[in-house]
Amino acid sequence: MAQQRIFSGVKPTGHLTLGNYLGAMRQWAQEEQHRADALFCVVDLHALTVDHDPARVRRLTRQAATLLLAAGLDPEKCTLFVQSQVDEHTRLAYLMECTATDGEMRRMIQYKEKAARERERGGSVRLSLLTYPALMAADILAYGADEVPVGEDQTQHVELTRDLAVRFNQRYGHTFVVPRATNPKVAARVMDLQEPTSKMGKSHARTAGIVYLLDEPEAVRKKVMRAVTDAGSDVVYDREERPGVANLLDVLAACTGGEPRRLAEEYDSYGALKKDAAEAVVEVLRPVRERHGELAADPAYVDGVLRDGAARAREMARPRVDAAYRAVGLLG
């Protein structure tokens, strides 16, 4: 039986967070790259769908790639690359736009939310914000990926990718593998420490509740100790009624390998829970920060990994994208 192929990406729209690490990166390093033919991509083209500073996107792209290596991705075991360095993504994205419908794009929850935010702040909504799910579909379909490990907020986009693959195959002949989304089981959504009903997002304007992977240990401790808790003082795991405490228990469980409900029974005060959660986060992030420091001091190595990764990705994607061009009637 052929080895499964997986594709996943991270967007360089902000500094990577504890949520990115516990929800995705750690699993990529510890499991995904060992059990499958795995591709991991810094999807820098997706960062252009909203106003951006070019120098910042460039800097965050490099930082994200370096952090993925620091988290344990091994270029000998997986393919790590930057999206814009492989032309097949944009070549296939146009065919996906020609396969999708306007209605499908406008139904995407992320488009509705981000477009509303842009309008609120008086900005204009870029067309690419509407069409970026077509580019995301191209990211996945170009490689014949079987699985796409994503957070819950991206599952809708993978469902759209499946629909586009099926539609394309029916219209033009079998060309694409129909992928499936897989959601991590533990700490799939680490919530903001100050707003525990919102995901810990790397591009949020308010940063007091966000633990970044490169935060100094003292900054991590301060943010966790200042985490919002709930009314009452007993430690109970209840995501609906006690989102603040539940989030701390989820974080502690993800860092220590425990189970949130069982951990709740070990504490009789919020203070003790916060202290243990803070130390657990510091220890989990320590090796990542240290390895990042070593890699950041050797940019030539990181550049080499990305160059080799892009060449490998191009080799994998080109035959399928060329076939798709021929299938729709282009000379190719």
Side-chain angles (χ1 to χ4, degrees):
M1 184 176 164
Q3 192 179 32
Q4 294 278 292
R5 179 171 286 173
I6 68 172
F7 176 95
S8 203
V10 63
K11 193 160 45 170
T13 49
H15 298 287
L16 294 178
T17 71
L18 178 68
N20 297 127
Y21 181 69
L22 295 180
M25 294 163 63
R26 184 172 65 172
Q27 188 164 318
W28 296 352
Q30 293 180 355
E31 294 178 34
E32 313 293 13
Q33 68 174 342
H34 300 289
R35 71 171 181 83
D37 180 8
L39 297 105
F40 300 109
C41 182
V42 182
V43 287
D44 54 342
L45 294 171
H46 291 297
L48 311 187
T49 58
V50 294
D51 283 345
H52 65 279
D53 169 20
R56 185 170 188 264
V57 170
R58 201 174 294 118
R59 188 171 64 250
L60 289 175
T61 298
R62 174 177 288 282
Q63 185 186 87
T66 307
L67 277 167
L68 287 170
L69 289 169
L73 290 189
D74 181 348
E76 299 297 318
K77 292 188 170 67
C78 68
T79 302
L80 174 63
F81 66 106
V82 173
Q83 179 190 32
S84 62
Q85 295 180 340
V86 180
D87 293 346
E88 278 63 32
H89 291 255
T90 47
R91 286 181 64 210
L92 186 54
Y94 183 67
L95 297 194
M96 290 300 104
E97 286 182 18
C98 294
T99 307
T101 67
D102 176 74
E104 283 174 318
M105 293 296 174
R106 293 187 188 280
R107 280 197 295 274
M108 294 292 110
I109 294 164
Q110 288 225 331
Y111 168 71
K112 291 179 181 176
E113 291 176 350
K114 289 181 179 178
R117 279 203 297 272
E118 280 296 310
R119 292 189 188 103
E120 275 171 23
R121 51 191 281 270
S124 55
V125 179
R126 298 184 181 190
L127 180 61
S128 55
L129 187 62
L130 177 65
T131 61
Y132 102 84
L135 174 57
M136 183 174 171
D139 296 338
I140 297 162
L141 297 179
Y143 298 100
D146 302 284
E147 289 181 32
V148 190
V150 289
E152 290 168 21
D153 57 329
Q154 290 293 336
T155 301
Q156 188 187 30
H157 290 154
V158 181
E159 288 304 315
L160 174 68
T161 300
R162 289 172 57 85
D163 292 343
L164 296 181
V166 169
R167 189 177 306 153
F168 191 100
N169 289 346
Q170 287 172 342
R171 284 181 185 170
Y172 308 114
H174 186 78
T175 309
F176 298 116
V177 173
V178 180
R180 64 184 180 277
T182 56
N183 298 122
K185 297 177 186 64
V186 182
R189 300 194 82 178
V190 175
M191 312 307 270
D192 190 296
L193 295 172
Q194 292 297 317
E195 299 175 42
T197 54
S198 301
K199 196 176 78 159
M200 189 180 281
K202 58 183 177 294
S203 50
H204 288 186
R206 294 175 60 188
T207 61
I210 303 169
V211 174
Y212 296 105
L213 297 188
L214 295 178
D215 277 348
E216 295 288 338
E218 206 40 57
V220 173
R221 290 187 184 99
K222 194 175 289 185
K223 287 177 179 179
V224 178
M225 292 305 291
R226 290 178 178 172
V228 166
T229 45
D230 313 290
S233 58
D234 52 330
V235 178
V236 178
Y237 185 77
D238 185 333
R239 277 180 175 273
E240 297 300 316
E241 299 298 321
R242 303 282 188 85
V245 171
N247 188 37
L248 286 169
L249 288 164
D250 278 334
V251 167
L252 180 59
C255 289
T256 61
E259 199 280 316
R261 291 183 196 285
R262 288 207 182 120
L263 286 169
E265 297 167 5
E266 297 175 17
Y267 293 94
D268 53 16
S269 75
Y270 292 163
L273 171 61
K274 285 182 174 182
K275 189 169 183 301
D276 283 359
E279 291 309 315
V281 172
V282 166
E283 288 311 309
V284 156
L285 297 186
R286 189 185 304 281
V288 179
R289 287 182 63 252
E290 289 174 356
R291 180 66 179 138
H292 176 271
E294 294 167 5
L295 290 164
D298 189 3
Y301 170 75
V302 177
D303 284 344
V305 168
L306 295 178
R307 189 169 53 247
D308 292 347
R312 222 164 36 230
R314 211 174 290 123
E315 203 174 285
M316 281 188 243
R318 185 164 292 165
R320 189 171 282 99
V321 176
D322 284 350
Y325 266 59
R326 289 192 298 273
V328 297
L330 301 176
L331 294 179

